[in-house]
Amino acid sequence: MSDPRADRRAFLGALVGSSAALAGLTWSDVAASWQAAAPQREAAHPGFTSFTRAEAAELEAMAECILPGGERPGARQAGVIHFMDHWFAQQGKGAVADVRKGIAALGAAARRRKPGVRGFAQLAEADQVAVLEGIEKDAPAFFGGVRFATLLGMFSDPGHGGNRDKAGWTLLGFEDGYAWSAPYGAYDRG
């Protein structure tokens, strides 16, 4: 059995040694280390389960065109892309390949519209709307699926990844009381 006081002393000694090493660093050293580690962090924790960051950016831009923000929160502020990512990782696994094909078609349409852009997310709003009108005609299943997922992400329970800060519910005027009383009426009178 080990001595708890010795374990505590060893831990505190290691902590003091680490603190001394950290005290010698400047903020520019810390910032440079953080910047240098960015590719490793991105590879280890991309932030998305079903899509790459680039694919998620395209879907998020598409969702924002469908439910734009402004005075009221839109798809981006409500975190709809996180709902989509969560949903496609769970229930929609079989559709991810089709969505990726749709994203590729969306990017190709964006590059045809404005040569030199990397994808749909880099287009100006008016160009995004024009591209989406074409996608709606050329790939109605993809457009309809993303539109439906956008609506679900905006108005579903926040526990599913979207509807951040209950933005969608606020738009609808929905109050989530989690407890309701029975509608008392004439049948309750004694």
Side-chain angles (χ1 to χ4, degrees):
M1 177 175 227
S2 67
D3 177 14
R5 284 184 278 168
D7 291 344
R8 242 181 284 138
R9 278 192 293 270
F11 171 75
L12 289 173
L15 187 61
V16 168
S18 300
S19 298
L22 288 174
L25 293 176
T26 64
W27 280 112
S28 60
D29 294 334
V30 173
S33 297
W34 183 255
Q35 190 70 10
Q40 291 85 2
R41 279 195 319 276
E42 178 60 27
H45 304 287
F48 294 100
T49 307
S50 301
F51 303 106
T52 66
R53 277 199 174 294
E55 291 168 338
E58 297 289 90
L59 282 175
E60 183 177 51
M62 189 175 173
E64 184 67 13
C65 279
I66 294 167
L67 281 174
E71 279 184 34
R72 296 181 175 148
R76 184 169 283 126
Q77 293 91 346
V80 165
I81 187 60
H82 298 287
F83 168 84
M84 287 185 194
D85 185 61
H86 174 77
W87 189 83
F88 282 109
Q90 303 295 319
Q91 293 84 7
K93 284 181 184 177
V96 172
D98 291 334
V99 173
R100 285 198 167 112
K101 287 178 192 171
I103 293 169
L106 184 69
R111 288 185 292 279
R112 280 193 303 277
R113 176 119 183 131
K114 283 278 189 195
V117 299
R118 288 188 317 255
F120 180 77
Q122 285 76 41
L123 291 175
E125 185 179 341
D127 290 323
Q128 286 181 339
V129 170
V131 167
L132 279 187
E133 288 171 350
I135 290 291
E136 185 177 15
K137 290 179 203 160
D138 298 338
F142 169 67
F143 179 83
V146 173
R147 181 181 177 276
F148 183 68
T150 298
L151 294 173
L152 285 177
M154 187 70 174
F155 301 112
S156 68
D157 188 283
H160 299 292
N163 195 9
R164 183 182 304 135
D165 299 326
K166 301 175 185 171
W169 290 355
T170 302
L171 287 175
L172 296 175
F174 175 72
E175 295 180 23
D176 60 327
Y178 295 117
W180 294 271
S181 356
Y184 296 110
Y187 56 86
D188 289 316
R189 284 184 221 156

